[in-house]
């Protein structure tokens, strides 16, 4: 689907009409709730009640708890600097920060427990549709529409976060920065081998073979066979085919389209010939080490690794280069929908107004303290013009592609409630089987597509879509 930014304003206008209370036609009459859960309608009512209570505490010292996922000691320093800057401007606010190490699944598990025990933070980063369905988070569209940020935040990012609502009624997570999927290549290795930087997928496959020298521990690329590998394959497969939709008009997954089978066959054919045998179990840490050590000429990741890679090479861009997705077989530049992180406000908070004000700060002037370390691109217009964004070629290249009306963005179905379970428990094991030769590319993608088709039917039936 081509970017149609005007449509996003329509989406948000629709959210405005939805208001902050449940529609009669969408109320559930016999919902079983575990401790700490509320219905979606109740969370909307809670937003109004909490806001009124929040207003009563103006002038008093307010304590906010803030959790961030996928944290590291370095990132924690950046987050704490942002919190300190906000508290300096707002002396009546005290922010207690917690960084959650590991991946999104680890953060989700911690938040699940917090919601179940009524000990959730006021503000958190872990934008999951399950939290919306369970009524764990407050709708934010009312806050956004009254905010000075309204209309100044990347519309594709707002649309992506709004799409996480199973009912398609509210904006529950607010995007402070956008992710951008891309390759990182070693131009110094390509130059040494006399190989041109590829511009098409066929050129990429050939370049991997030409730069590889396995006898001397140099590989043409690294395939992420470990955790996160299935998502990478999905992104690359759709970029290769140019297919913009995850499902056809009948709700059938396009994951096993013949062009995707063709891509997987070509990509996995590189394994053990031009890539390392231990790619089968490599996660991000191992992939990053391969790239920075010079044992691989290219990896697939996102701009989240830009800061780390740049620091490792001392900013020497002769040793690293961001390569966007190659043109699809139909000649179009095809990218995943904008990947966004989202700040949520727990339905149990007693200070939603203050929580929202902190989110506004983190998403605008406060981005200078933490977004570069995180490796994303700010969603707010003025923050996108900060020096640290303007002076980096890879950020400018990414922004140019995202704003190009000719770029095709394909649907990433992470809005499905059980998407993560399918990726981790079906797609990821099958990916490793396929790499190991236990199953074919067709069998791998058929299993994935069948699970996605079944989940889409369940999701639509449950949410009236």
């Amino acid at each position: 689907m081509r970017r149609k930014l005007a449509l996003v304003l329509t989406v948000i206008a629709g959210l405005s009409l939805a208001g902050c209370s449940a529609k009669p036609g969408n109320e559930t009459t016999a919902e079983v709730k575990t401790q700490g859960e509320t219905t979606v309608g109740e969370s909307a009512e809670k937003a109004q009640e909490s806001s009124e209570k929040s207003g009563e505490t103006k002038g008093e010292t307010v304590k906010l708890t803030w959790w961030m996922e996928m944290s590291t000691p370095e990132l924690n320093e950046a987050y704490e600097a942002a919190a300190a800057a906000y508290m300096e401007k707002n002396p009546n606010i005290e922010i207690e920060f917690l960084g959650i190490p590991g991946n999104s699944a680890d953060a989700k598990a911690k938040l699940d427990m917090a919601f179940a025990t009524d000990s959730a933070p006021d503000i958190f980063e872990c934008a999951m549709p399950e939290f919306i369905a369970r009524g764990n988070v407050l709708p934010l569209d009312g806050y956004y529409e009254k905010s000075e940020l309204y209309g100044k935040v990347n519309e594709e990012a707002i649309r992506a976060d709004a799409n996480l609502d199973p009912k398609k009624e509210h904006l529950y997570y607010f995007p402070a920065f956008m992710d951008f999927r891309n390759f990182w290549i070693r131009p110094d290795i390509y130059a040494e081998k006399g190989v041109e930087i590829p511009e098409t997928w066929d050129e990429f496959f050939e370049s991997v073979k030409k730069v590889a020298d396995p006898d001397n521990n140099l590989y043409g690329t690294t395939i992420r066979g470990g955790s996160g590998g299935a998502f990478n394959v999905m992104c690359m497969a759709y970029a290769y085919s140019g297919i913009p939709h995850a499902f056809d008009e009948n709700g059938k997954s396009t994951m096993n389209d013949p062009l995707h089978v063709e891509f997987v066959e070509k990509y996995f054919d590189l394994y053990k010939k031009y890539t390392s045998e231990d790619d089968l179990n490599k996660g991000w840490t191992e992939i990053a080490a391969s790239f920075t050590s010079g044992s691989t000429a290219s990896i697939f990741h996102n701009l989240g690794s830009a800061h780390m890679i740049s620091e490792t090479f001392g900013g020497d861009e002769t040793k690293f280069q961001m390569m966007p997705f190659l043109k699809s077989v139909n000649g179009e530049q095809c990218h995943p929908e904008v990947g966004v992180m989202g700040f949520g406000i727990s339905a149990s908070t007693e200070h939603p107004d203050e929580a929202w004000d902190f989110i506004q700060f983190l998403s605008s002037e406060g981005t200078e303290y933490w977004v570069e370390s995180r490796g994303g691109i700010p969603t707010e217009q003025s923050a996108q013009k900060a020096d640290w964004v303007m002076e980096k070629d890879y950020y400018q290249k990414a922004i140019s592609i995202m704003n190009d009306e000719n770029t095709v963005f394909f649907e990433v179905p992470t809005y499905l409630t059980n998407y993560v379970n399918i990726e981790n428990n079906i797609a990821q094991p099958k990916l490793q089987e396929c790499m190991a030769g236990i199953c074919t590319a067709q069998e791998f993608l058929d299993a994935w597509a069948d699970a996605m088709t079944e989940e889409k039917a369940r999701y639509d039936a449950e949410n009236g879509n």
Side-chain angles (χ1 to χ4, degrees), residues 368-388:
E368 66 175 288
Y369 297 98
W370 67 279
V371 173
E372 181 179 12
S373 296
R374 185 67 178 264
I377 301 170
T379 58
E380 197 266 329
Q381 292 174 358
S382 61
Q384 287 185 1
K385 298 176 182 177
D387 289 343
W388 67 267

Side-chain angles (χ1 to χ4, degrees), residues 258-283:
L259 283 173
H260 296 159
V261 175
E262 178 180 290
F263 169 79
V264 170
E265 288 174 343
K266 289 181 177 181
Y267 189 49
F268 285 0
D269 186 56
L270 302 172
Y271 176 55
K272 291 197 295 188
K273 299 175 185 176
Y274 308 100
T275 80
S276 175
E277 185 172 358
D278 65 359
D279 282 4
L280 183 65
N281 295 302
K282 280 182 179 174

Side-chain angles (χ1 to χ4, degrees), residues 68-73 76 98-107 110:
M68 291 292 281
E69 66 178 351
M70 296 185 288
S71 196
T72 65
N76 285 346
L98 175 68
I100 307 173
N103 56 30
S104 292
D106 297 314
K110 189 170 182 66

Side-chain angles (χ1 to χ4, degrees), residues 48-308:
Q48 179 64 31
E49 295 171 1
S50 296
S51 182
E52 291 173 358
K53 186 172 182 180
S54 182
E56 295 172 0
T57 61
K58 296 289 185 182
E60 299 179 9
T61 298
V62 171
K63 181 178 179 179
L64 298 175
T65 50
W66 172 37
W67 292 6
M68 291 292 281
E69 66 178 351
M70 296 185 288
S71 196
T72 65
E74 294 76 19
L75 284 173
N76 285 346
E77 289 184 10
Y79 299 144
E80 288 167 355
Y86 180 79
M87 288 188 286
E88 184 175 352
K89 289 190 171 187
N90 299 272
N92 66 312
I93 304 294
E94 178 184 343
I95 297 172
E96 182 179 282
F97 170 75
L98 175 68
I100 307 173
N103 56 30
S104 292
D106 297 314
K108 181 180 180 299
K110 189 170 182 66
L111 281 161
D112 280 337
M113 180 61 71
F115 287 129
T117 57
D118 200 25
S119 57
D122 298 287
I123 306 145
F124 66 91
E125 178 210 10
C126 188
M128 297 284 180
E130 297 97 311
F131 298 152
I132 299 173
R134 296 197 312 236
N136 295 141
V137 288
L138 296 179
L140 302 179
D141 32 300
Y143 280 113
Y144 177 51
E145 290 159 5
K146 297 175 183 177
S147 167
E148 292 183 357
L149 297 181
Y150 186 71
K152 300 177 183 178
V153 176
N154 180 277
E155 294 162 348
E156 180 70 15
I158 291 291
R159 191 208 62 77
D161 269 1
N163 198 40
L164 292 173
D165 176 15
K167 300 293 186 184
K168 313 304 179 192
E169 294 176 348
H170 292 291
L171 175 71
Y172 283 91
Y173 299 108
F174 193 77
F177 77 85
M178 302 174 286
D179 205 351
F180 185 84
R181 294 276 161 180
N182 57 271
F183 285 94
W184 290 108
I185 63 170
R186 291 289 302 261
D188 53 339
I189 294 177
Y190 269 78
E192 181 182 338
K193 296 291 184 178
V195 179
E196 295 291 326
I197 303 299
E199 295 184 359
T200 68
W201 283 102
D202 284 342
E203 289 178 1
F204 170 72
F205 292 129
E206 287 305 308
S207 73
V208 166
K209 298 173 184 178
K210 290 178 180 178
V211 301
D213 185 5
D215 291 339
N216 290 301
N217 195 39
L218 174 61
Y219 300 98
T221 193
T222 297
I223 298 174
R224 185 170 180 169
S227 176
F231 186 81
N232 281 6
V233 166
M234 177 182 67
C235 289
M236 287 187 276
Y238 279 93
Y240 177 85
S241 70
I243 295 172
H245 303 294
F247 301 93
D248 65 17
E249 63 275 10
N250 298 313
K252 183 180 183 297
S253 172
T254 56
M255 192 66 243
N256 60 346
D257 184 271
L259 283 173
H260 296 159
V261 175
E262 178 180 290
F263 169 79
V264 170
E265 288 174 343
K266 289 181 177 181
Y267 189 49
F268 285 0
D269 186 56
L270 302 172
Y271 176 55
K272 291 197 295 188
K273 299 175 185 176
Y274 308 100
T275 80
S276 175
E277 185 172 358
D278 65 359
D279 282 4
L280 183 65
N281 295 302
K282 280 182 179 174
W284 166 241
T285 301
E286 295 79 16
I287 289 172
S290 297
F291 186 75
T292 55
S293 69
S295 63
T296 189
S298 66
I299 59 174
F300 179 76
H301 195 234
N302 55 58
L303 283 183
S305 49
H307 188 67
M308 179 277 293

